[in-house]
Amino acid sequence: MFREVSIYNIVSLEDVIASGNEIIFKNSDDTPEGQFEKKEIKSIVSEIIDDLPEKEKLVISLYYYNELTYKEISEILGVSESRISQLHSKALISIKSKLKHRGIF
């Protein structure tokens, strides 16, 4: 699974809307439907992140919301940068899997 994830680019979860296997970036603010869809996806992603194990949730939070680097996160958690990378990758795999299960990605 980690080999599969290593080829993916990291993008903002808020800006991604799936269409089959193709990722489309669009400005959802253009239409009321787009605004609703963006709000709904944010809500679903938030639920999925809340269900992650604590360390994975913390890594996602520190990386995306606090905009910390792997090095800074590793100092906070007292583990290596490579371990932070593993936790981050594992969390993304889990998030993607759950989004796919819900038909979003």
Side-chain angles (χ1 to χ4, degrees):
M1 283 194 293
F2 288 116
R3 273 185 275 140
E4 289 178 19
V5 137
S6 67
I7 63 171
Y8 295 109
N9 290 327
I10 297 174
V11 294
S12 171
L13 295 173
E14 295 177 357
D15 296 334
V16 176
I17 297 178
S19 173
N21 290 330
E22 179 181 321
I23 297 174
I24 299 172
F25 297 88
K26 75 177 206 180
N27 183 356
S28 297
D29 297 332
D30 293 342
T31 64
E33 296 87 4
Q35 291 175 1
F36 176 79
E37 188 174 70
K38 185 175 181 178
K39 184 178 178 181
E40 188 69 19
I41 290 172
K42 280 183 181 182
S43 174
I44 292 168
V45 170
S46 179
E47 287 176 28
I48 291 170
I49 290 171
D50 284 343
D51 290 340
L52 290 173
E54 274 310 305
K55 278 195 175 182
E56 291 176 28
K57 188 185 327 183
L58 185 56
V59 168
I60 293 294
S61 175
L62 292 172
Y63 188 79
Y64 290 102
Y65 298 107
N66 296 88
E67 299 179 354
L68 299 180
T69 64
Y70 283 177
K71 183 177 182 176
E72 293 168 325
I73 297 169
S74 72
E75 291 171 2
I76 291 169
L77 297 181
V79 297
S80 68
E81 286 182 61
S82 63
R83 181 64 183 140
I84 298 302
S85 178
Q86 290 172 346
L87 289 168
H88 183 250
S89 295
K90 188 176 176 186
L92 290 181
I93 290 168
S94 180
I95 291 167
K96 181 179 176 187
S97 172
K98 290 177 183 179
L99 287 172
K100 188 179 278 189
H101 179 71
R102 293 185 181 206
I104 296 173
F105 191 66

